[in-house]
Each structure stands twice: as C-alpha cells, then as structure tokens.
Amino acid sequence: MSSGGHFVTRPINIYSLSRIHEESPFNIIERHSSQKSDLQRTKAHEIESLRLLVDALLAAGVTLDECDGFFYSFHIPQIGKEFDLLKITDKLCINIELKSTTVSQEQILNQLLKNRHYLSHLGKRLALYSVVTDSMSCYKLSLNNELIEVAFSEIVSAVRNIKTGYTEQIDNLFRASDYLVSPLNTPSRFIQGAYFLTQAQEQVKKSVLSGVDRAFFGAYFHITGKPGTGKTLLLYDIAKALSKSGQTVIIHCGKLSPGHYKIRSEIDNLNIISVSQLRFEDFSLSDYSYILVDESHRIYTDQFNAICDSVNKNNQICIFSSDPEQVLSTSEKRNNIVSKIVSLSLAGEFTLSEKIRTNQELQSFITCMKNLNHSPRIAMDYSNVYLNYANTTQEAQFLLEYYRNKGYKFINYSKSNYEPSPFAVYSEDFDTHHVIGQEFDKVVMLLDSSFYYDEDGNLQGIPHPNPNYLYPNLFYQGVTRVREELALIVVNAPELFERIASIVAPTESNR
C-alpha cells in the first residue's frame, strides 16, 4: 500500500476469512487482509452467507489452496458497484453473488445482468453465478442473458479450475470512465441505454415515478445534489422514461451542446430547450405533460414564475434539479431560486449525496482548494493533480498546448460582452457557461492574480469584468467537470501558487 491516497486491493483466502463469526473482528481482518480503502462494513447475515458457501465448497472437495485469490466485496471506485466474490485470471473471471435468503429470480437476473455489463470491460470469459445460501440454490447467467438454475457442482468445478494463475491486482482493471455515461458527452450511449444507474439514483427514480403515477392533477418534485453526484444523468433518464407516456421537455439552464441536439432528435416525445426560449412567443410550455428543469438554481425569477404558472394552470408534472452551491453570478445568488422551489408544495424532495463522477482524490483536492484549512479524511498523494507555474502569458500558452495535446480540455472563464478579460488571450475548448452538465476525463484550467486566498484560507476573486459573475464560482463550475486528471496553470501569481502548492506538500504522516 502506498503512503498516500492509493491503495492496492489484495485478494484473500475466503476460508480463512469465513472462520471469523463476529462482525467487528471480521471487518477489521477483512479490511487489513484486502487493504481496501473503503469503509464499507460487512453485516452478520453476509458473514454467515460466506461461511455457508465455504463450508459447502469444502464438503465438495475444494482445498484451502483453492480458496485463495478471491476479491471479496470489491467496489468499482466512484461507481458504487459491488461484487461479492471475484476471481480473475488472464482469460477468465468468476463472479459469485451471495444471497442469505430467497429473493425473486428477477432480482437475481437483474443483478447478474448488471455484473456482466461492468465485467465485460475486462475482455475475459465470464462465469456469473448467484447462490442462495439458506437453500444452496444456484443460478448462472447464460450467454443469452437467461437465468439458469445449475447444480452446486458446477460452481465447485469453476472454483477448482482457477487454482493458480489468478490476478493479484484488481484496482487497475477498472476505470470509472469506462462506465460513467454523460447524456451530453456520450449521447449515443445514453440513447441506447448502455448504462446503469447507481443504487441511490435508482431509488430516487423509483420514488419520483411512483409519485408521478399518484399525481394526476400535477405536482412538483425536487432533486438536489453537489457536483458529481449524478443529477444530470438521473434527470435525463427520468425524462426518457416519462417520454414514453407523454410529451416531455427538459429546460436546460445554460447553452445547449451538440449532445442536447442529438438526444432531442433521436428520442420521441422528448424536447430539450435552453431556458432563454421561454421568452419566445412561438414556444408554449402548455404543450407538455412533463417539465424537467436542469440546473434550476440558474434561472431568473420571471422564468421560474412562468414555469410554475404553466404547471398550476395545466396540471403538469414539474421536476426541478438543483445545486445551490453552483451559482455563477450575483444575480443567481440574489434570486435564490432553490428557496423558492423548496417553498412550493412539493410531492417529493430527494438528495443525491454520494459522488460518482469525481474520484476521491480529486474531490479532496478541490475541497482543499476552496478552503486551505480543510483536512482530508485519509492521506492523499494527489498523483492525478498536476500543478504548473507560468511567469508569462506565453509560458502559459506553451503549457496549455502541452496539456491539450495530451487530451485535456481547457475550460476558460466566461467573459464579459463589453469589458476586456485577462483570460481573453487564451483560446479555449469551452467556457464555464458551456460546460454546465458536462464532464471530461481530463481538464486543464488557469488561475492568475484574479484569485487570492483570504485570511481564513478561502479562495476569493477580484471583481469580474462582468460584475454579475463571480470568479471563484466560475472556477468551481469548471474544475468540478473533471473525472480523472486535473492540471492547473497559475500565471504570474507566486503567492497564490505557493498556497495551492501547500495542498500537495508531504506531511509527516505520508513523507
């Protein structure tokens, strides 16, 4: 295990682990043996289920050596997807899911279908099983995606056939970007349904659709969450589901991207508009049964009132999605649309809390940048953060070109239409108002003397050329678009650079 934020998950011997019956020592030894970084706890019924499986394997002749090499309760980073047992070789992957009591075959099938989706990226032959340990009923997912009941002896053979040559390293086999679907950046995958929602997203979707079913005479719903929690995918997925039963519109509170146009051209009964179109005389909200508002904290008061007037008059369903921390301007702060949403008679309010887009390391770094006094919960080495200093604009241009050649997207600050901006000399891929709802594997951003830290360690900004915009908020909007790697270039601001560099300085605990 490294001294920073990177852990190397190790396989374990499931016989050795299964002999521990009590929750506390089981969890201590399991985490120590596997060296996993997450704090997920295994519960008593799950411990018992593992013991019953191992007892049955031993009774069928499986040796202790053949119990080696299993990854237990492995989570794909950021995704929240868990596998009970995995054993992997250069050509094969065995997955065994454990159920302590009888569940429906539909549930078992759905879980194994999800597992195939996530494991297929390994490019290996898959054997996907589920065992109900109170009855020792065994199921297998066929190549035709059918659930087949099999004899336990088939699982025994599968375990015994991977006696040696199994993988000792699993972390580098899974990249979150292989699974994270952005409706706006990967619209084809979204349209085709080549994705799964997380458990938290699924639960919110189920609650919203159940509420919609009950609300014949119209209703308001509110989904909230910080950047990276999956609000946009969830809202668009709900819109796709609603479009099958009525005309649906998504109001995007920003500038439309190519992804928006592709989705609305290929999904029936689903329109996507920019919020500015509400002012057009030829556009009427009354044409829609379902109105979904993405990034609703950005809309003006008159736009909010127009939406509510239509919903109340036409008995429509309206779903707002918001993040009050992501306001970009003083007018958005002043309007405080989120408080107006909360004051409505809501049929349901839901919060997504678990971040799935930004990995733990980048999330920690961004939080520390916002406030230097923030202390990460665990030590981080920030190996996916690259800090650069440029003495001049020309040096900054050289560095920008270097990172763009490596696949980074340069997100620049939105500019004033009337006053010059110090960032106008840089040619961007996007500005901060054009990336609303989007996400990228690699992002590069600039900071200069427009930014500074106050005495409390908070990142602040000088007045923007457009007095309505706020530099720190624009930076936060851009930097939270990143999934995997972040590069920052500080231009001719040595004190600012020194403060940012202090975030990645080694401490006594990880030196």
Side-chain angles (χ1 to χ4, degrees):
M1 182 174 63
S2 72
S3 58
H6 289 277
F7 292 76
V8 178
T9 307
R10 300 188 307 205
I12 62 168
N13 183 291
I14 55 173
Y15 172 81
S16 173
L17 185 64
S18 70
R19 299 306 94 184
I20 307 169
H21 294 185
E22 302 300 323
E23 273 191 55
S24 179
F26 182 99
N27 282 282
I28 291 170
I29 299 305
E30 191 273 323
R31 189 161 183 240
H32 171 73
S33 299
S34 67
Q35 294 290 285
K36 285 189 304 194
S37 60
D38 66 73
L39 300 177
Q40 191 86 7
R41 288 189 61 83
T42 303
K43 297 174 182 174
H45 70 276
E46 296 168 325
I47 295 170
E48 173 70 2
S49 198
L50 177 65
R51 185 184 65 78
L52 289 171
L53 173 75
V54 173
D55 286 350
L57 289 172
L58 293 175
V62 173
T63 67
L64 264 61
D65 285 349
E66 290 164 344
C67 291
D68 263 341
F70 281 93
F71 294 98
Y72 178 70
S73 188
F74 176 75
H75 288 74
I76 299 177
Q78 300 168 238
I79 304 294
K81 173 58 187 167
E82 179 189 4
F83 304 93
D84 287 344
L85 291 169
L86 287 175
K87 197 169 187 179
I88 303 169
T89 71
D90 59 343
K91 294 181 180 178
L92 301 173
C93 173
I94 292 179
N95 165 226
I96 303 172
E97 294 298 322
L98 302 178
K99 300 282 179 276
S100 57
T101 56
T102 301
V103 298
S104 72
Q105 291 191 18
E106 182 183 8
Q107 283 181 271
I108 294 173
L109 175 61
N110 288 337
Q111 181 181 37
L112 293 183
L113 285 172
K114 285 187 178 183
N115 289 9
R116 169 164 284 164
H117 170 77
Y118 288 112
L119 294 172
S120 62
H121 287 268
L122 298 175
K124 301 178 187 298
R125 185 178 173 189
L126 303 177
L128 306 170
Y129 296 103
S130 186
V131 179
V132 183
T133 53
D134 68 348
S135 63
M136 293 311 292
S137 302
C138 304
Y139 301 90
K140 177 183 180 179
L141 184 66
S142 76
L143 291 176
N144 291 320
N145 288 335
E146 297 170 334
L147 191 66
I148 301 171
E149 189 161 5
V150 297
F152 185 67
S153 58
E154 182 173 331
I155 296 177
V156 172
S157 296
V159 170
R160 302 201 73 175
N161 282 330
I162 306 185
K163 185 174 183 178
T164 58
Y166 50 80
T167 299
E168 297 275 359
Q169 165 61 273
I170 197 172
D171 302 87
N172 58 6
L173 297 180
F174 296 92
R175 294 173 65 242
S177 59
D178 290 333
Y179 310 103
L180 292 174
V181 169
S182 162
L184 309 185
N185 298 99
T186 51
S188 294
R189 289 177 66 186
F190 172 74
I191 293 165
Q192 294 162 9
Y195 61 91
F196 284 104
L197 299 180
T198 65
Q199 189 173 2
Q201 289 171 318
E202 284 278 14
Q203 187 56 55
V204 172
K205 177 183 177 181
K206 183 178 179 181
S207 299
V208 169
L209 294 181
S210 296
V212 170
D213 280 336
R214 293 191 296 268
F216 188 76
F217 294 104
Y220 294 98
F221 299 86
H222 185 207
I223 300 170
T224 188
K226 293 184 178 182
T229 52
K231 296 187 305 299
T232 298
L233 176 60
L234 174 60
L235 191 76
Y236 278 63
D237 183 75
I238 291 173
K240 186 165 65 167
L242 292 174
S243 69
K244 295 174 182 176
S245 63
Q247 291 292 329
T248 303
V249 62
I250 298 175
I251 300 173
H252 178 68
C253 300
K255 298 172 182 177
L256 296 187
S257 68
H260 288 115
Y261 295 112
K262 184 172 178 64
I263 291 170
R264 78 179 188 187
S265 69
E266 296 195 25
I267 298 181
D268 294 338
N269 297 329
L270 178 58
N271 192 13
I272 303 176
I273 66 165
S274 171
V275 70
S276 59
Q277 288 179 245
L278 292 181
R279 294 196 171 98
F280 296 173
E281 290 185 5
D282 61 348
F283 181 81
S284 174
L285 281 175
S286 63
D287 296 335
Y288 299 94
S289 299
Y290 308 107
I291 300 170
L292 295 87
V293 189
D294 195 17
E295 306 280 336
S296 54
H297 47 278
R298 304 192 191 288
I299 60 179
Y300 295 118
T301 301
D302 63 326
Q303 295 167 335
F304 174 78
N305 291 336
I307 293 168
C308 292
D309 288 345
S310 177
V311 172
N312 296 336
K313 180 180 178 182
N314 300 296
N315 295 327
Q316 295 161 305
I317 297 294
C318 180
I319 304 172
F320 292 103
S321 174
S322 74
D323 173 9
E325 291 188 14
Q326 282 280 63
V327 296
L328 300 182
S329 64
T330 53
S331 61
E332 289 174 4
K333 271 190 171 182
R334 185 172 60 250
N335 292 335
N336 196 7
I337 294 298
V338 173
S339 70
K340 293 179 172 62
I341 294 171
V342 172
S343 68
L344 295 169
S345 180
L346 294 172
E349 186 165 23
F350 312 94
T351 300
L352 291 170
S353 57
E354 184 179 348
K355 297 204 176 212
I356 57 175
R357 185 181 69 232
T358 308
N359 66 42
Q360 188 179 34
E361 174 194 344
L362 296 181
Q363 177 187 335
S364 170
F365 180 81
I366 293 167
T367 304
C368 289
M369 270 203 71
K370 286 182 70 177
N371 187 305
L372 294 172
N373 294 319
H374 172 78
S375 297
R377 190 173 55 152
I378 61 174
M380 293 283 173
D381 59 15
Y382 300 123
S383 60
N384 289 305
V385 176
Y386 302 92
L387 301 181
N388 306 265
Y389 189 78
N391 295 282
T392 64
T393 299
Q394 185 180 35
E395 289 181 2
Q397 298 277 26
F398 286 152
L399 286 164
L400 272 178
E401 195 61 26
Y402 165 76
Y403 280 106
R404 291 169 89 173
N405 287 338
K406 292 168 75 72
Y408 285 72
K409 298 297 184 184
F410 170 41
I411 301 176
N412 204 353
Y413 301 97
S414 301
K415 303 172 187 66
S416 167
N417 292 327
Y418 309 104
E419 299 294 331
S421 163
F423 298 99
V425 296
Y426 304 102
S427 175
E428 71 249 12
D429 296 307
F430 304 94
D431 68 31
T432 43
H433 275 73
H434 275 92
V435 295
I436 293 171
Q438 298 195 60
E439 51 197 60
F440 310 96
D441 287 347
K442 301 178 179 182
V443 167
V444 57
M445 291 193 73
L446 296 170
L447 299 100
D448 66 3
S449 54
S450 303
F451 295 85
Y452 64 93
Y453 282 97
D454 64 19
E455 59 185 14
D456 296 321
N458 295 304
L459 185 65
Q460 303 285 4
I462 64 172
H464 190 282
N466 179 340
N468 194 35
Y469 292 165
L470 303 165
Y471 268 128
N473 298 52
L474 294 176
F475 172 74
Y476 189 51
Q477 167 63 218
V479 79
T480 53
R481 301 302 95 199
V482 66
R483 284 177 175 172
E484 293 188 349
E485 295 182 19
L486 173 66
L488 298 178
I489 303 169
V490 178
V491 188
N492 194 25
E495 185 177 344
L496 175 69
F497 185 70
E498 185 174 354
R499 303 294 297 276
I500 296 173
S502 70
I503 299 171
V504 301
T507 63
E508 288 302 326
S509 62
N510 64 10
R511 188 170 282 153

